[in-house]
Amino acid sequence: SKQGSMKIFIDVFTEEEIASDAYPIKVINDVAYEIETKLVVEGDDDFGISNNEEEGESASGGGAPKEPVNNLVNAHKLEVTSFSKKDFMTYIKGYLAKLKKTSR
């Protein structure tokens, strides 16, 4: 592989970007990838810029508190889902059947 090139993982059905090799990746049973991610507070950077208050005014901060986000989900603009175990099993069985047909 070329030095400096990044591997992007694309969903074979939607052609959407789902991950990159910028994250630590482990191959599980030669079938799936386990990708190490982190919760980060997006936009919570402090660049040392004051709030520009007049003397005597209190510093109010800079807007609403930020929610932590998963760095992979945020970077690749993925949507967070919440499946019950039953719903996930239904979804993944359909997805894997579709994948099996495609790989032939």
Side-chain angles (χ1 to χ4, degrees):
S1 84
K2 294 180 183 177
Q3 186 176 12
S5 63
M6 180 184 295
K7 191 181 287 185
I8 302 292
F9 297 90
I10 306 289
D11 182 286
V12 296
F13 304 118
T14 65
E15 297 184 4
E16 295 286 329
E17 188 176 302
I18 56 173
S20 75
D21 65 353
Y23 304 89
I25 298 174
K26 201 173 11 171
V27 179
I28 308 296
N29 297 326
D30 292 324
V31 174
Y33 294 113
E34 180 178 282
I35 303 172
E36 185 179 316
T37 65
K38 298 177 186 175
L39 285 179
V40 296
V41 178
E42 187 64 22
D44 196 27
D45 301 321
D46 180 5
F47 297 106
I49 302 171
S50 70
N51 291 331
N52 297 327
E53 278 95 21
E54 296 293 324
E55 195 171 318
E57 290 181 10
S58 65
S60 60
K66 307 260 190 286
E67 292 284 324
V69 295
N70 180 285
N71 61 344
L72 177 88
V73 171
N74 191 52
H76 295 281
K77 298 175 179 58
L78 303 175
E79 291 185 32
V80 176
T81 60
S82 57
F83 286 111
S84 68
K85 184 174 182 176
K86 181 181 174 185
D87 291 342
F88 176 75
M89 293 306 290
T90 300
Y91 169 79
I92 202 67
K93 283 179 183 178
Y95 186 87
L96 291 175
K98 191 175 174 182
L99 189 61
K100 189 175 181 180
K101 275 185 183 177
T102 303
S103 66
R104 289 183 182 181

